[in-house]
Amino acid sequence: MAGTAVPRRLTWEVATVTAVMPETPSVRTIALDAPSWPGHRAGQHLDVRLTADDGYTAERSYSIAAAADDPLAITVERLDDGEVSPYLTEDVHAGDQLEIRGPVGGYFAWETADGGPLLLVGGGSGIVPLRAILRQREHSGSDTPVKLLYSARTPADLIYRDELDVHHDGVEIIYTITREQPAGWTGYTRRVDGALLAETVWPAGKTPLAFVCGPTSFVETVAGGLVALGYEPGRVKTERFGGTGGR
Amino acid sequence: MSPISHGFRRRHAVPEGAADRVPPGQYVTDGFPVLSAGPTPHTPLADWTFSIRRGSATLKSWSWQEFQALPAEMVTVDIHCVTRWSKLDTEWRGVSVDTLLEQVEHDAAYVMAFSDGGYTTNLPLADVTGGKARVAFNYAGAPLEPEHGGPARLLVPHLYFWKSAKWVRGLELMDEDRPGFWETYGYNMYGDPWREQRYQGD
């Protein structure tokens, strides 16, 4: 678990929303123009600070949806009991300004030199940093083999579906949905568990590098399942969220 | 001057009477969110030890059984996670770090807590002594769940909760401060929630 990041002071900067793109009924991608953004690695997150008319402020962290050389963007899921996400998914428009700082994190991040093969496992909006990693691989011309196992409630809840459905050599996308069994669906229709992992992921003998992101119970199941399959715990990186009513 | 987000408003009320217990930028949750960088380790209690080290030397080590025989205490504390949730009145049972350090001779100024799975976090000695820190193995009256750091985690509630190392297996005594795991990735060396010391330079 050795670190390689160079610590540096994180300062707030004003970013301008350049576009708001609906992804699913409850998820939006927000593109940001941030002139002083210092750059980031795929998989990192950033902090957003909102200020209300009465001066009240709230800050939350969001995964960056962009590769290092993409225009900066975050993808936000609306949480009904959240404070910041309802605003970001319903009220924010192109041209609006908000404050950001980052990048934050650095352990849950991938660069070409980190190699693979890569196993990306996402639950719900846990796909966001994994999408950044996929784009990073594509942009850098890396031939690192990738499997992405992506679980969502219904096909309509799959974020970035159009982008993920575009074929890329060396990338295998495996979907599973947990609340429906629609006609014509060719992916899995069950929760990710040890058996589904055994069926779909790289064998441990290939010493894969795994990134797992999603709600806590999902990440617990997947990370534990991968270790049970022989994955080296130090090569299973996790990012957990959810259940706090915070975002 | 911060830009105003019209239409954005406070939705999380601070519980009545708790205003002075919630550090700036935090919100109160009833849940107990989980954050960790890797898989949850499951060390059998028969293999568990808690060690105090200095350099390459182990100064003192307790088995699980020996550790359980040490005097333990109940505490009720508020905890504050750098990801902005705070949880009030959490109940823990554990052994004071004072009790552990009393059993070794040392003049260290800092400690590095180390854990199963390779996690580390650094703390000044003054922040883990004087009744400020415990090695906790019970939460809310039950054995601490693995996903929350069981069998035992450090409990240093006056600092952001990443300093309360999960799956803790010991303390390394140090003369000088060194960054632990998250501190290497840009998080604050000290982590005082009342001064919002989330990241390097805060």
Side-chain angles (χ1 to χ4, degrees), chain A residues 42-43 64-68 70 127-137:
Chain A
I64 298 169
D70 276 325
I127 190 67
V128 177
L130 309 180
R131 184 254 198 155
I133 291 172
L134 272 179
R135 292 179 68 91
Q136 185 68 35
R137 173 193 175 277

Side-chain angles (χ1 to χ4, degrees), chain A residues 195-212:
Chain A
L196 184 57
L197 289 172
E199 245 173 83
T200 54
V201 304
W202 301 112
K206 289 184 181 286
T207 58
L209 178 58
F211 290 84
V212 184

Side-chain angles (χ1 to χ4, degrees), chain A residues 15 38 44 50 66 87 115 144 157 174 178 184 190 192:
Chain A
Q44 290 190 287
L50 298 182
Y87 177 82
T144 299
D157 291 309
I174 304 149
T178 57
R190 43 197 256 228
V192 177

Side-chain angles (χ1 to χ4, degrees), chain A residues 223-235:
Chain A
L226 293 176
V227 171
L229 289 172
Y231 277 52
E232 192 188 311
R235 288 176 67 82

Side-chain angles (χ1 to χ4, degrees), chain B residues 43-53 60-62 112-117 119 135 151-154 165-172:
Chain B
T43 301
L45 294 183
D47 298 339
W48 188 93
T49 54
F50 190 92
S51 304
I52 296 178
R53 292 188 198 152
K60 178 80 192 173
S61 184
W62 294 266
M112 184 75 78
F114 56 89
S115 300
D116 282 321
Y119 184 77
V135 176
R153 77 180 296 162
L154 199 60
K166 290 179 186 178
W167 314 303
V168 70
R169 293 290 301 274
L171 298 174
E172 183 191 344

Side-chain angles (χ1 to χ4, degrees), chain A residues 83-96:
Chain A
E83 187 167 66
V84 174
S85 68
Y87 177 82
L88 292 179
T89 51
E90 287 170 5
D91 297 326
V92 83
H93 295 101
D96 288 349

Side-chain angles (χ1 to χ4, degrees), chain B residues 151-173:
Chain B
R153 77 180 296 162
L154 199 60
L155 179 67
V156 193
H158 70 287
L159 299 178
Y160 280 127
F161 212 42
W162 89 79
K163 295 287 184 181
S164 294
K166 290 179 186 178
W167 314 303
V168 70
R169 293 290 301 274
L171 298 174
E172 183 191 344
L173 302 170

